[in-house]
Amino acid sequence: MTTVYFASGFALRAILINYFEFLNFFELSNVFNSAFIVKESAVRGTFDYISPLLLHFDSKVYYYILDVIAICALYRINKQSALFYTYSPLSIVNLLSHSLTTLQNTLTLTSLTLACEGYAYLSILLLSYNSILFFYPVALLIPQILIITKDSTNKVKELTKYTLVYLITTLSLLSLARYISNDWSFLNLYKNLIFAENLTPNTGLFWYLFMEIFSQFRYFFTVVLQLHAFIYVLPISIYLSHRPLLAFTFISGTISIFKSYPSIGDVSVYTSLIFLFPDLYQHARYPKFVATLTIVAAGLLPLFRHLWLRAVTGNANFYYASTLLWTFSNGMLLVELLYAEAKRLFMMTIDKDTDISQYKIKQV
């Protein structure tokens, strides 16, 4: 029966990607993942928004194959996660947008699968390539190494070794990019990602804030917002070192929230990985509320965009308000994950016959 479900999902994707030309909306495409930008950069030979190492083909089959690879990789980890990803509206509309987020998700899930199955060096290679293309996956390095070394007796030595492998691989890929582009101009890609100078609307926090604030405060808020994508890596990796897959899921969630140019396709990865932890559901506080809030926020994004640009009965404030709700709902989901794990660990330290009503669990 499982085979039928996945075959139906693949068939549904094939039908939809042939029926729709492509979806080009703020929630799905931005200057760093849009098919238009890829074509324009290829014609002009510039690398302000894409890497010279990008392997891209202007074909629907290209995106379809990438999505199938992502599902197959996720299937090797967990069938429920793969099934959710297969039928998730977020992953489906992301496929129909022909955005590079599909490639990023495929690289992320494939490198995760290889890490879980013990293919350490190939996993690090894919993560390095993913980081070169999209920058933010570098935050996944420590959680991924913890997954690789989960059975190791000398984690510090292994962590150092694989970090060095990652650095050497990344430097080698950067040298290859320099060779392809004939100069170092491709580094503008990372400069543009960090400073977020293109203020095209998207589902992130940067664009509207940077349009409204005074220019003298821009660099301060750039540092603050960019730090949020990376500052949780070390504490979360330490706290969840006993459960590195959960650390990987949490960090992939923070990336999808705090990266400078996100899309709703980024969320499809960590929401699928949540199914790896069914034991946490009983310890969550408001799982139904958070799930409902996320669904409502996802529905408000296209609605408020329509009110702003089509019906012209709203303005940019409407759309930014919907992106704030979307960000908040995803943040709540991550908080629920951490709270549920903290409560699970607490329940393991007390006797089963203990009346837990005498304890007042607070989130600090």
Side-chain angles (χ1 to χ4, degrees), residues 53-214:
L53 298 181
L54 177 65
L55 298 176
H56 178 266
F57 302 95
D58 187 18
S59 170
K60 295 179 179 180
V61 178
Y62 170 75
Y63 296 102
Y64 181 80
I65 291 175
L66 286 176
D67 218 37
V68 170
I69 293 173
I71 294 171
C72 292
L74 197 52
Y75 181 86
R76 296 178 70 90
I77 302 176
N78 183 273
K79 293 180 181 179
Q80 286 74 28
S81 295
L83 195 61
F84 178 83
Y85 188 92
T86 302
Y87 289 97
S88 171
L90 298 180
S91 64
I92 292 175
V93 296
N94 180 64
L95 171 65
L96 300 181
S97 69
H98 297 185
S99 77
L100 294 180
T101 304
T102 303
L103 174 60
Q104 181 181 346
N105 292 349
T106 301
L107 290 173
T108 300
L109 292 173
T110 305
S111 64
L112 174 61
T113 301
L114 292 172
C116 292
E117 295 183 347
Y119 298 99
Y121 293 105
L122 188 55
S123 171
I124 295 297
L125 174 61
L126 282 184
L127 178 62
S128 178
Y129 181 59
N130 200 7
S131 303
I132 290 292
L133 295 184
F134 304 107
F135 178 63
Y136 288 96
V138 66
L140 298 172
L141 175 62
I142 295 180
Q144 189 157 312
I145 293 178
L146 289 177
I147 294 172
I148 295 171
T149 61
K150 61 182 180 296
D151 298 323
S152 174
T153 56
N154 193 342
K155 289 187 179 293
V156 175
K157 180 181 178 181
E158 294 292 303
L159 181 64
T160 304
K161 180 179 74 172
Y162 289 118
T163 301
L164 287 175
V165 171
Y166 174 83
L167 291 175
I168 293 171
T169 306
T170 302
L171 289 174
S172 300
L173 290 175
L174 284 173
S175 300
L176 179 60
R178 162 69 176 81
Y179 175 77
I180 294 174
S181 62
N182 295 320
D183 55 31
W184 294 102
S185 62
F186 71 93
L187 294 178
N188 286 331
L189 163 66
Y190 310 111
K191 171 179 171 291
N192 293 332
L193 270 173
I194 293 172
F195 291 102
E197 295 176 351
N198 188 300
L199 301 180
T200 305
N202 53 69
T203 60
L205 300 171
F206 286 73
W207 65 277
Y208 191 79
L209 177 64
F210 285 178
M211 282 197 297
E212 296 296 326
I213 63 173
F214 294 109

